[in-house]
Amino acid sequence: MRATARVLVYSDDANTREQVRLAAGRRPAADLPPVDYLECATLAAVLTELEQGGIDVCVLDGEAVPAGGMGVCRQIKDEIFRCPPVLLLIGRPQDAWLATWSRADATVTLPVDPVSFPDALATLLRARLSVNS
């Protein structure tokens, strides 16, 4: 097992980024390595970090402004070679069809739920870490 997993969290709202960290905790599941969170508040920061590599999962806030997570997701899926899986935070369950358009790998509704969020994150991390092993 790797020493740590790297999760990029994008939101213009520091409270949303904090919700993500607190909901998943240091280790979203016992069979996974501890998580190092990399917080980004701008699209430019997201693109810079993804170009450098080493990100295992992206968590994107669909409600972020001015660049919403759905558009960011679609962009990185088109532009980043071997883009990490994306967990998209959506405002309401009815927005799931937009998440499909953006090519998100999974969705969770806001506010971040401390039960469903770590489960979704753990599923994506397991898939990514098994591929990169």
Side-chain angles (χ1 to χ4, degrees), residues 68-128:
M70 290 185 203
V72 171
C73 181
R74 181 127 177 144
Q75 180 177 348
I76 65 175
K77 290 289 187 170
D78 285 342
E79 296 178 1
I80 302 298
F81 181 66
R82 293 189 181 146
C83 182
V86 173
L87 175 53
L88 188 61
L89 305 175
I90 57 177
R92 23 180 225 141
Q94 296 86 344
D95 293 335
W97 72 273
L98 284 169
T100 301
W101 166 84
S102 73
R103 292 186 264 170
D105 299 281
T107 61
V108 174
T109 56
L110 288 166
V112 178
D113 178 60
V115 175
S116 62
F117 179 79
D119 288 344
L121 180 59
T123 299
L124 294 179
L125 282 170
R126 282 186 197 103
R128 178 68 171 200

Side-chain angles (χ1 to χ4, degrees), residues 36-93:
D36 284 334
Y37 295 99
L38 176 63
E39 295 185 35
C40 296
T42 66
L43 173 58
V46 170
L47 296 176
T48 298
E49 293 298 335
L50 287 172
E51 287 170 4
Q52 291 177 6
I55 303 297
D56 295 305
V57 172
C58 295
V59 178
L60 307 178
D61 179 1
E63 305 296 309
V65 291
M70 290 185 203
V72 171
C73 181
R74 181 127 177 144
Q75 180 177 348
I76 65 175
K77 290 289 187 170
D78 285 342
E79 296 178 1
I80 302 298
F81 181 66
R82 293 189 181 146
C83 182
V86 173
L87 175 53
L88 188 61
L89 305 175
I90 57 177
R92 23 180 225 141

